[in-house]
Structures are given as C-alpha cells and as structure tokens.
Amino acid sequence: MVEEAIILEGLKQADSKPQAFDKLVKSYQEMLYYHIRRMVVDHDDADDVLQNAFLKAWRYIDRFRGDASLKTWLYRIATNEALSFLESKRRRQHQDIEDLQNDLRHSLGGGRYISGDEMLQKLHEAILLLPEKQQLVFNMRYFDEMKYHEIAGVLETSEGGLKANYHHAVKKIEKYLKMDT
Amino acid sequence: MKEINIHIAKELEEAPLLLGLKQGDAQFFRLPDGYFEGLSARILEKAQGNARDEAAVFGDGQQLSQLEAMPMFDVPGGYFENFAERLQGKIEEEEMGILAQLKGKQFFSVPEGYFDRFPDALKTKLKAPKQVTIVRMWSLRIAAAVVILLGLVGLFTSMPSGQDQYVYLENEKVSEEAFFTLVDEENFGIDELASHLSFEELAEIESEIAPILPEAGLEDLINDLELSDLEDLDFELN
C-alpha cells in the first residue's frame, strides 16, 4: 500500500510521471501478464494485450480517482482488454463462443512457452470450459489469491455472488480433473 | 425480640420442636463483645496488609490483581486480523482436493528475460505518445467517415471476381474484406454512423484524412480499432 501511494504520487507530477510509471509497470507486469495469459493462452497475444492494458493505464491515469486500489484498477483494465481481445478475435474468425473455447483449449496442447505438465494442462482446459465470470473469479482467487472484495472491485459486482461463482467453478473443475484419472 | 415471619411459622407447625426453638430465640452462636464495631476498619487494614505481602513476592507495582488482568497466553501480532478470511481460505483449500495439489505450479512460461525487456518495449511504444493518440483518435473518425462515405457516396469499386477485392479511396487501397469485417465486427450501421455526423463534419474529416493517410495507412488504422475504442465513438462523434 505504501508502494502504491508512492507510485500514485509520482504519477501526478509531470516530471516524475515516467519514473513512476516505470515502477508501476515493474510492480504489476508479472501478475497482470499471467492473469491475461490464462485467458488468451498464447504468449504473443498476452504480450499485445498486456502492452495495450498498460498504454491505457498511462493514458487514463488522470482519471483514476482512488476509489479502488491501483491493483484493482489495473486488473480491471487488463480484464476488459483481454475480454475485448477475445471478443474481437471471435468475431474476426466468425466463431461462436464454443468454437473460441475449443480453439483456446486446443492451443494449450501445442502452444509455445507452456510447461507440458498433463495435469496442469487439464486444469487449464477445465478453466477454459467455465462460463466467463466463473473463469475470472476462479483465476483471481485460486492463482492470484485475491480477496473477494478485491475481485468484486475488478468485476464491479457484489461479493456474495462471487463466492457462489467460485464454489461452482471449483466443483466443475474437480469433476473435470477426476475424469479419466 | 425478633418477630417470627408468619409464613415460616406456618411451615413449622408440623415441626413443633423446631418452632419452639425458633420461638425461644435460641442464639447458639455467640459473638465477641463489640465485634461489629470497627469491622470495616479491620477489613481495610487486612487488605492493605495483603497488598504489601504481594509486593514483597512479585516486586513493586506487580499486584496480583494486575497479573490477573494480563493474559496468560500471547498470540502473534495481527493474529485475529483477517482470522475469518484465513479460516475460509483453509476450508476452501480442503474442499479443493486435487486442486490443492496443483496450487502454485505454473503451466505457462515466458521467453527468457521477457519481464526484464517488457518495460523498455512499452517505453518504445510510449515514446511517440502524441502520434499514437492522434492516430487512434483519428482512426475512429476516419473509419467512421470512410464507412459513411463509402455507403453514402459509393466511392468504392470492386475488382472482378477471382482477383483480390480492394476498396479504393483516392490512392489508398484497403482490402474489401478488412472493411466489411470491420463493419460486421463492430456492428457499424452506416445509417447509425451517418446520424452522428453532419455533412460539414464529413467534409472536414475528409479534408483531414488526406495528410494522415500516407503516414498511417488506412488499413492499419482500421485494423488498429478495438471494441473498447468504439465505446468512445459516440462520445467522439457527438
């Protein structure tokens, strides 16, 4: 929180803005990258989306009112950017949602920069089969260990529903993982 | 003589012996003379004596009463903060079964040194922020204007079938596919877009497109469009 306050203070001054932005990028690049990567799967796509997310953050930082934390705000931008990217990709390829999900799951098997661990692959397949909101909630809770109120801030929704979303996601993933094991 | 409570006397009617003793006011226990005189002073003195004894055992200022107020067991700092959340996390973990075993393992990897290079790569993009902003802002207007112009004025011509299809606008060629993908993707309704712009605005845009086109490239501008940008379209055009 102290670090965040320092970054925000730096971003307000024109002369310290580039340095503060550099600090912001270094602080959040990794967590945002993986958050995006879990959604778009391909590294190059994740790189594009991540860059766009930070460019938006740079462009709109003056509009950041501080109602949520900087982390929440950045996650929100990154999430929207990734969802827009997927939607755009789906329309460009004239796919329905199911086709897109199949494509993404397929690329888990043969993509670059992927560990190759079968169980982990199955886990990500299961995640990509979830409805969008359950997917997001599960990822932020399970991988990023975010608190429900933070996730609620990112998705601009109430906390109560998120717990149910997470619970359903866990049950579905477990069921998928137990299949053929 | 103390009067006997009538209810008690009634209860004791069946036990006359007891009643007789009561009535006889038999005082079995005796008190030393003047016992109740100065009783409070004696109690106070005793209390002070106890305090002196405690001080002798536990040291100055360490009264037993103070020790009682001190908790016998200590907890790590902040233990009770977020206790409920930690507990919930634990419950979730137990519910997770297989998922718990996979936790913390990373499936995705990145090219070596990717995160070291990323801030610089981003800076390169930021180095021409004005151009990017102008291009992106104009890309919206150009795309809107071009779609409208094509729709309203019929500026485009298609090549014969079997060849690549292009839309011509002055000296710039843009693949027809790119155009209609854009129109389809973004649900651009020509009528809807036209309703946002007056003819004066269209004319103004047209005159401003020309100097930008050679530099930016119309196709790139259109390809650069994103759904999120289009959310701003109404704002930009209104």
Side-chain angles (χ1 to χ4, degrees):
Chain A
M1 279 313 247
V2 176
E3 181 81 350
E4 189 174 309
I6 294 168
I7 291 173
L8 276 172
E9 200 51 44
L11 286 169
K12 282 181 196 164
Q13 317 293 330
D15 53 344
S16 58
K17 195 174 173 183
Q19 288 81 7
F21 187 71
D22 189 59
K23 209 167 191 175
L24 175 136
V25 171
K26 284 176 179 158
S27 303
Y28 294 101
Q29 59 179 7
E30 210 160 324
M31 63 175 93
L32 291 179
Y33 170 85
Y34 285 111
H35 176 62
I36 293 166
R37 181 88 193 268
R38 282 177 218 122
M39 295 164 75
V40 303
V41 179
D42 179 68
H43 164 73
D44 293 330
D45 291 343
D47 182 41
D48 279 347
V49 174
L50 183 67
Q51 290 200 23
N52 286 337
F54 276 121
L55 287 174
K56 285 223 163 114
W58 169 265
R59 208 188 305 166
Y60 297 123
I61 191 70
D62 297 335
R63 293 190 200 172
F64 177 69
R65 295 187 307 271
D67 297 341
S69 69
L70 193 56
K71 177 183 164 187
T72 303
W73 186 67
L74 289 169
Y75 259 85
R76 198 184 303 158
I77 295 175
T79 304
N80 290 338
E81 205 61 31
L83 290 177
S84 288
F85 170 83
L86 290 173
E87 181 62 9
S88 188
K89 182 177 178 178
R90 185 180 73 76
R91 288 187 181 198
R92 206 165 36 244
Q93 295 172 359
H94 302 287
Q95 291 177 316
D96 58 25
I97 291 170
E98 210 173 305
D99 290 336
L100 177 71
Q101 280 182 329
N102 285 338
D103 264 12
L104 291 171
R105 280 190 299 133
H106 184 72
S107 53
L108 286 170
R112 289 180 308 152
Y113 308 119
I114 275 173
S115 88
D117 183 301
E118 272 181 41
M119 204 58 186
L120 287 176
Q121 182 179 332
K122 216 166 169 193
L123 167 65
H124 284 278
E125 278 173 12
I127 294 168
L128 289 170
L129 278 171
L130 296 171
E132 188 181 274
K133 194 166 180 189
Q134 284 181 20
Q135 211 178 106
L136 287 166
V137 176
F138 179 82
N139 283 344
M140 285 189 266
R141 182 78 182 157
Y142 179 76
F143 293 107
D144 301 333
E145 300 186 338
M146 285 169 77
K147 291 170 183 157
Y148 282 115
H149 73 86
E150 289 181 304
I151 301 172
V154 174
L155 302 178
E156 292 175 300
T157 183
S158 70
E159 260 185 68
L162 296 180
K163 290 179 186 175
N165 271 303
Y166 183 74
H167 178 76
H168 290 313
V170 168
K171 292 290 156 208
K172 284 182 197 171
I173 292 170
E174 264 226 314
K175 194 175 168 191
Y176 187 85
L177 291 176
K178 280 176 184 166
M179 277 177 1
D180 308 322
T181 52
Chain B
M1 192 169 112
K2 196 177 173 185
E3 277 186 28
I4 301 170
N5 183 305
I6 187 104
H7 299 291
I8 296 171
K10 216 169 172 140
E11 283 168 14
L12 292 173
E13 272 172 6
E14 289 175 21
L17 192 59
L18 282 176
L19 187 61
L21 286 172
K22 187 101 185 144
Q23 278 171 336
D25 193 30
Q27 185 59 274
F28 181 71
F29 298 105
R30 304 272 175 198
L31 292 172
D33 285 346
Y35 171 77
F36 290 109
E37 287 165 25
L39 179 64
S40 62
R42 287 200 304 279
I43 292 170
L44 195 64
E45 194 184 334
K46 188 151 189 166
Q48 285 167 346
N50 283 347
R52 280 193 297 275
D53 292 346
E54 283 173 12
V57 175
F58 298 106
D60 287 342
Q62 284 279 38
Q63 308 275 321
L64 264 183
S65 54
Q66 284 174 314
L67 285 175
E68 276 168 17
M70 288 169 68
M72 186 172 168
F73 302 105
D74 203 2
V75 292
Y79 175 77
F80 290 111
E81 285 166 29
N82 307 322
F83 180 76
E85 256 184 44
R86 277 186 282 126
L87 195 63
Q88 196 177 15
K90 189 97 183 156
I91 291 167
E92 279 174 5
E93 227 168 77
E94 279 177 15
E95 274 181 357
M96 278 195 296
I98 302 172
L99 278 172
Q101 295 164 24
L102 298 173
K103 202 158 165 56
K105 291 181 183 173
Q106 191 54 266
F107 180 63
F108 299 111
S109 57
V110 292
E112 214 179 312
Y114 171 73
F115 290 118
D116 297 331
R117 291 190 303 271
F118 182 79
D120 289 334
L122 196 63
K123 266 181 219 157
T124 313
K125 272 203 170 184
L126 281 169
K127 266 183 184 163
K130 283 190 177 152
Q131 195 186 357
V132 169
T133 309
I134 289 166
V135 165
R136 292 189 69 79
M137 194 186 84
W138 280 108
S139 68
L140 286 174
R141 304 191 73 118
I142 289 163
V146 166
V147 171
I148 293 161
L149 287 171
L150 290 175
L152 296 181
V153 190
L155 275 173
F156 71 92
T157 52
S158 295
M159 298 294 280
S161 60
Q163 294 183 36
D164 289 339
Q165 305 264 299
Y166 289 108
V167 173
Y168 285 83
L169 180 72
E170 295 187 317
N171 292 326
E172 284 295 317
K173 66 175 184 182
V174 179
S175 79
E176 201 174 61
E177 193 194 348
F179 247 106
F180 289 112
T181 301
L182 171 80
V183 172
D184 181 46
E185 265 184 22
E186 319 303 359
N187 293 321
F188 268 2
I190 289 171
D191 294 339
E192 193 193 335
L193 283 168
S195 70
H196 288 292
L197 293 170
S198 66
F199 278 107
E200 289 76 19
E201 282 175 310
L202 280 172
E204 188 192 333
I205 289 166
E206 198 184 9
S207 68
E208 282 165 331
I209 289 172
I212 295 170
L213 277 180
E215 214 179 319
L218 190 54
E219 191 165 8
D220 283 345
L221 289 176
I222 290 166
N223 286 336
D224 200 32
L225 274 177
E226 287 172 17
L227 279 176
S228 48
D229 292 326
L230 290 158
E231 286 165 11
D232 297 331
L233 190 62
D234 282 351
F235 171 75
E236 291 288 339
L237 297 177
N238 278 333

